[in-house]
Amino acid sequence: MTNPTHHFRIDVDEAVRLIAENMPAYATEAVPLERARGAILRGPVVAERDQPPFDRVTMDGIAIRAAALTAGRRSFRVGGIQGAGEAAIPLGTEDVCVEIMTGAILPEDADTIVPVERIEHDGDHVTLEPGYEPTPGQFIHRRGTDLAAGQPLFDVGTVIGAPEMAALTIAGSPTVTVARWPKISVISTGDELVDVGTPVELFQIRSSNDRAIMASLENRGCTTATRAWLPDDPDALRKAIREMHDRDDMLVLSGGVSMGKYDYVPQIMEELGVRLVFHKILQKPGLPMWFGVSAQQKPVFALPGNPVSSLVCLVRYVVPAIRTALGAATQEPHPVRLAEAVRFEPNLACFMPVRLAADAAGDLRAWPKATNTSGDFVGLAGTDGFVELPRGRDLFAAGEAVQFFRW
Ligand code: AMP
Ligand code: MG
């Protein structure tokens, strides 16, 4: 805590800026598609083939030539049956049709599909429904009309979600080049903490921060975090934090950063040579947040121990910092309108838990759900995230647009 240059009691925006300045660059790796959800694209992804790769039939029915209709033909001999995944069966002559299924390749000498609902079978012939006039070229998804072979599918920085996962298969590769998630130690500190599944005394607390932090990281596709617990004991903290620092790329601690006698985290960090960048942000919850960088340029986030504070600080600072460092082209927060007015102390920024739901007109609104102190994580259940109400004002009106962060 003797670092004379560190920042103290700063604004939210300054904290975001100082963290961004101190984040390292993360490597690029090829991952199997199974592990790519939420990953951030680093390399080009180009279509292996035209998309669709052939003239694709979009209805079960018969394939014919429109010229036969123009010549007055309504009845066709069935020359063959062709399913999806089978090589094309040519018609040969105009009096012939091929029974064809959705997803099949269109025979080269056919150009129109008549749906199965519009034909009648009579032995080895089919006849069009009286009065039905097919549009020449109908029910064919033409080759290359979605994307030409060799064209890029996405920009670098794209976050891979469900639709991107489908589109990635067009590249034909079982792997994709993405930014490598940092390995993160999620460390709970506190003598009172007990994990689920073991007996707990009256005066002890089930450790919950680490569970919420892991879930929030996993929501983004980050599966490189591991949980650990440490007591309020300087020797144990020093030894274990050093080991985890050497093993992983980032430390996310919770607890032990306030003014209590057993809040050893800042002191231990100093002993370990972690340079303090800032301590305390003008915000509620989460005022005691601590951030530093080790000599190996590894970020160390020490979040306040209160469960609401730790999750808010993770989502407001740690998650966006990682996503930006990985090269995400888009940031997560987006504006949303408050459903109700909120009053708050003007000297602190407020992070207000909200539930997102549409109002009677169908417009999405953020419904504030204040918790019963920052220890009340039970009150967070059922909320979608929080909104940020900037410092300097004490009233935020119903209908006002504010930034929403998802848990
Ligand atoms: P601290 O920041 O260590 O003073 O902790 C503040 C409050 O948060 C105390 O009531 C702690 O018991 C609680 N707390 C700290 N860590 C956790 C955790 N991992 N899970 C649940 N509560 C915690
Ligand atoms: Mg503690």
Side-chain angles (χ1 to χ4, degrees), residues 189-190 192 232 255-256 263:
T189 71
E192 74 282 27
D232 293 315
D263 288 336

Side-chain angles (χ1 to χ4, degrees), residues 21 170 173 188 392:
E21 274 175 11
I170 294 167
S173 168
S188 300

